[in-house]
Amino acid sequence: MLKTIINLEPGKKVYFASDQHFGAPNPKESKMREEKFIRWMDEIKEDAQVLFLMGDLFDFWHEWKHVIPKGYVRVLGKIAELKDRGIHIYFFVGNHDLWMKDYLEEEIGCTVFYKKQYFEMGGKQFLLAHGDGLGPGDKGYKRMKKLFTNPVAQWFFKWLHPDIAMKVALYLSQKNKMISGEEDKAFLGEDKEFLIIYSKEKLKSEKLDYFIYGHRHLPMVLDLEQKAKYINLGDWISYFTYGVFEKDFELKTFADGTKKNYP
């Protein structure tokens, strides 16, 4: 099991945020949420050593050779500012921005991951992933993901004019639950939540302290066996929740523009 070890400096923290879905449902409403996320990044930049963006920062993202989607300038600029301050930024590709390539790495200096990763921080063991496609079930989405990550399908898509491609992709992203992977936000129970099932199976063979995911849009900290914790980071659509780790993990909210414990 390969893992990245991060030695936390005194007084520094690790932050986690997921599922902003910027661009949805329209540019005007998205910009209001973008401004709140930018204010949050301003709040954390003084004590952040690491920022994990856990997927679906954008409701849709595609990189052509010389073109990226219009918008998000202030969000990307703020992420670049944090990186220039020496904050390490790790970006997990989600199911809405799975066509991310090298733009964030080359232009901002983020480290981009396309699958789950293991980290050790503060002596604790972490498994981090966006969460889509893990665990049992969700077969319709898994089939769709295979299509979307197929090199031939990607090659054909890139030859569409960006205006046409973005219009089609945003429509599908917002209207088709099979593509979005988003189900009812109500808690289904430990025996039906696929990410909890996946985490419990992992604990049978691996010693881990924290399982941290996005994707599900349902903020939650759940105790598992062996003193491990399942964590879903929620989203920046309804909950405006985020995680912070120093010696222990805390789930917090920025819903009213101030940092508070969640719930």
Side-chain angles (χ1 to χ4, degrees):
M1 179 178 69
L2 296 176
K3 66 180 177 182
T4 301
I5 299 175
I6 296 175
N7 296 310
L8 283 178
E9 301 170 9
K12 292 295 186 178
K13 300 176 181 179
V14 181
Y15 287 90
F16 306 81
S18 187
D19 291 273
Q20 292 79 14
H21 289 265
F22 292 138
N26 55 63
K28 182 178 179 180
E29 293 184 44
S30 174
K31 189 165 290 186
M32 295 172 63
R33 297 188 297 106
E34 291 170 35
E35 290 171 352
K36 181 175 286 191
F37 190 63
I38 289 167
R39 292 198 301 273
W40 175 73
M41 286 191 283
D42 272 329
E43 288 276 332
I44 71 169
K45 66 184 180 184
E46 297 301 329
D47 63 4
Q49 181 175 328
V50 181
L51 171 60
F52 286 98
L53 297 172
M54 297 297 297
D56 288 353
L57 181 66
F58 310 105
D59 202 54
F60 177 74
W61 182 269
H62 187 273
E63 295 174 27
W64 289 264
K65 186 174 182 180
H66 299 293
V67 176
I68 61 169
K70 179 180 178 180
Y72 322 120
V73 173
R74 290 173 179 81
V75 170
L76 292 171
K78 184 58 64 176
I79 294 172
E81 178 190 329
L82 267 58
K83 183 67 176 67
D84 290 345
R85 290 174 64 97
I87 297 170
H88 298 284
I89 299 176
Y90 296 96
F91 186 97
F92 282 76
V93 170
N95 48 302
H96 282 253
D97 41 29
L98 55 79
W99 284 354
M100 180 73 63
K101 294 182 180 176
D102 57 10
Y103 181 79
L104 289 186
E105 290 185 320
E106 291 188 356
E107 296 297 326
I108 297 179
C110 301
T111 300
V112 177
F113 295 123
Y114 297 86
K115 58 184 180 180
K116 69 178 185 292
Q117 299 291 318
Y118 294 91
F119 283 81
E120 179 179 320
M121 296 179 281
K124 303 292 186 179
Q125 308 302 316
F126 292 75
L127 186 154
L128 306 180
H130 178 63
D132 60 309
L134 298 180
D138 213 7
K139 293 181 180 179
Y141 167 69
K142 289 176 180 177
R143 288 193 295 269
M144 192 67 71
K145 185 175 181 178
K146 285 183 179 180
L147 172 63
F148 284 176
T149 55
N150 183 286
V152 176
Q154 293 182 356
W155 185 87
F156 276 108
F157 188 84
K158 78 176 184 179
W159 288 105
L160 289 175
H161 188 282
D163 287 349
I164 298 173
M166 290 298 297
K167 186 174 182 179
V168 171
L170 286 171
Y171 174 81
L172 292 175
S173 177
Q174 295 175 26
K175 300 296 183 182
N176 191 319
K177 287 190 175 183
M178 182 181 292
I179 293 174
S180 71
E182 183 178 352
E183 301 294 338
D184 189 347
K185 292 181 183 178
F187 182 58
L188 303 177
E190 292 186 37
D191 59 336
K192 294 182 180 179
E193 290 281 350
F194 62 90
L195 287 174
I196 295 177
I197 296 170
Y198 176 80
S199 301
K200 288 181 176 181
E201 284 297 313
K202 279 290 181 182
L203 280 175
K204 293 178 180 179
S205 59
E206 300 177 23
K207 177 65 177 75
L208 293 159
D209 298 295
Y210 295 102
F211 297 84
I212 301 181
Y213 308 104
H215 187 57
R216 186 64 177 84
H217 290 236
L218 186 64
M220 180 179 296
V221 178
L222 180 70
D223 291 330
L224 303 176
E225 294 181 357
Q226 304 176 36
K227 297 183 179 180
K229 292 184 183 294
Y230 160 87
I231 294 154
N232 194 282
L233 295 168
D235 64 27
W236 281 72
I237 301 170
S238 302
Y239 299 104
F240 303 94
T241 40
Y242 64 96
V244 57
F245 175 81
E246 188 174 9
K247 295 180 180 178
D248 293 299
F249 181 92
E250 294 180 287
L251 191 63
K252 294 179 175 287
T253 180
F254 199 68
D256 63 356
T258 60
K259 296 187 289 185
K260 295 181 179 179
N261 290 333
Y262 180 88

